[in-house]
Amino acid sequence: PGQALVETELAAQFGVSKTPVREALKTLAGTGLVVMSQYKGVTVRMVDAEMAREVYDVRLLLEPEALRRFERRLASDAAAQEALGRSDTAEDKADRSLANRDFHRALYLPCGHPL
């Protein structure tokens, strides 16, 4: 949290030009994971306990409704089952985290509401 993300350094680290790095940073800013400031550049967002509680409060309201809509549409849970299996066999935290994201996405995307 708070770490500066410098386009040129990231581009060199990943062996790409600055353009895809810039686009990736814009995407991350759109999701709220980084903060873009005209004078400070791009930094990793600070998340404190209060903000985490607020996010989970919102999730407690939205997630049950998303699952109800998933069920009403009689959507297949095959993708969620596959992701759950990958989570069980993940060899590191990063793979488990990606599988977790895919599991939740598989349940929420069919609910019929893009947000």
Side-chain angles (χ1 to χ4, degrees):
Q3 179 179 352
L5 300 174
V6 181
E7 285 180 17
T8 53
E9 292 174 6
L10 291 169
Q13 181 180 349
F14 291 107
V16 297
S17 71
K18 289 188 336 183
T19 302
V21 171
R22 186 177 307 114
E23 293 305 312
L25 291 173
K26 286 179 185 176
T27 300
L28 290 171
T31 64
L33 294 173
V34 301
V35 177
M36 295 182 116
S37 170
Q38 186 174 6
Y39 301 107
K40 293 183 182 178
V42 180
T43 56
V44 177
R45 178 179 206 117
M46 300 287 269
V47 178
D48 59 13
E50 182 178 348
M51 181 181 191
R53 276 191 298 277
E54 290 171 357
V55 167
Y56 280 98
D57 283 348
V58 171
R59 289 181 70 177
L60 284 171
L61 295 170
L62 295 177
E63 290 178 354
E65 180 60 26
L67 289 176
R68 279 191 284 280
R69 291 178 183 203
F70 172 90
E71 289 173 343
R72 281 196 299 259
R73 290 173 175 261
L74 302 174
S76 169
D77 69 351
Q81 291 291 336
E82 187 272 332
L84 194 58
R86 282 190 294 118
S87 177
D88 285 342
T89 60
E91 297 195 13
D92 60 31
K93 289 180 182 178
D95 287 340
R96 186 171 292 109
S97 177
L98 291 171
N100 180 58
R101 181 198 63 193
D102 292 343
F103 170 76
H104 286 91
R105 186 173 287 156
L107 295 176
Y108 300 154
L109 283 178
C111 84
H113 197 296
L115 293 178

